[in-house]
Every structure is written in structure tokens, then in C-alpha cells.
Amino acid sequence: PTLPDERERVEASGGKVYLPKDPRESSRVYYIDSAGKFVGGLAMSRSLGDWDLGGKGVIPDPIVDAVSISDIIARTLTAERDTCKEDGDTEDNEEEGTCSAVSADDVNVFAISATDGIMDYLEPIDIAKEVAGSLFRDEQSESNGGGSYHLFAAQTSLMLASAQGWHSEMKGEYRDDMAIAAAVVR
């Protein structure tokens, strides 16, 4: 509910938006009935199945951002080339170990969707690394005895890490919902 359009919709529908001064705290949508009694609260303004706040501006419609896979691949290849140039190596030279030829076929693209129950305790880059490690295993390391790591195991590990964060902070009295899904896009 921190986005101006989201806040406006919620408040126009009779909901209240709490914006904390501490950036580590979560903004919330509150519903207070006509008698001034607190009825419900939610840390987001878009959600599935929150019936209490549905009439108070919380809607199920997602915000969708479309990304171009071609643009992702081009940015990755450009970044790889720029890294090689920063190393002072003007040509691909695998013997020096600084750069290797990378083509569009070498770029893997995947998508992750995770709830705030996971995102509250884990950094996006750490989630991406864990999931990528399970989706794009190095076949040579597997054949040399390095075991494979299944996507389900990676997701479970991430959920356990988040659950430990919740348990530690909330002394075992509360834990937000947690869900994570991932898929290879290309």
C-alpha cells in the first residue's frame, strides 16, 4: 500500500493505510468498522482470498510487468563483455582464466515468485542463487560425485531459512505465510 495509486484506491474504499516511519517495518491496510473497532489488517493492497479487506480496496488483480527475454540475454552478454574489458583482457583467453566466450545459448533465464513471508528474511539475490543452483546444475560436477540438488530441495531450504528468521524474531508466536515457485523460462 505504499504506492500512491494503491493507497488512493484503499482509502477511497474506506480502508486505512499505515505507513511506518521505520523502513524495516511493513506498511499495512487496516479496516476499522463504524464503531471504531479494528477488524483486519494486511501487509499488502493486492491479495487473493482476503474477504475482510476485499471491500476496503484490497483487490486480487496482480500488477504485471512484462520483460523481454531478448533484452535480458543482450544485457547479460553486454555485462559479460564489459567485465572482460575491465579485466584488461581485450580478447577471449581461457588460458588466462579471465574471460571465456559466452553466447546467447549460454544464458539461462528463470522466474521466481515468492511471498512476503519469504522475502522478509531473504535477499532476492540469495533466493536467485539457490534456485539457479538447483535448476542449472553443472553436469560435470555431478558426474564427478557432486550430487544434484533438486528444485524442491532448494525451495524447502529457502522456506526453512525464512521460518528460522520468523521464529527467531517472533519467538515462535507468529510466522507469515510462505510460498515459492520457480520455472525455467529459457
Side-chain angles (χ1 to χ4, degrees), residues 53-90:
L53 294 167
K56 300 300 174 191
V58 174
I59 60 174
D61 309 328
I63 295 174
V64 177
D65 289 326
V67 295
S68 165
I69 302 301
S70 298
D71 289 349
I72 291 171
I73 293 167
R75 281 196 311 266
T76 302
L77 294 174
T78 300
E80 187 68 26
R81 279 191 294 273
D82 290 348
T83 301
C84 288
K85 288 177 186 174
E86 288 173 11
D87 289 343
D89 199 357
T90 57

Side-chain angles (χ1 to χ4, degrees), residues 124-140:
I125 189 68
D126 296 328
I127 294 169
K129 285 179 181 178
E130 186 87 10
V131 170
S134 71
L135 292 173
F136 308 110
R137 298 181 293 275
D138 178 22
E139 292 175 13
Q140 184 160 352

Side-chain angles (χ1 to χ4, degrees), residues 18 40 53 82 89 119 141 143 185:
Y18 165 72
L53 294 167
D82 290 348
D89 199 357
M119 300 301 295
S141 69
S143 65
V185 176

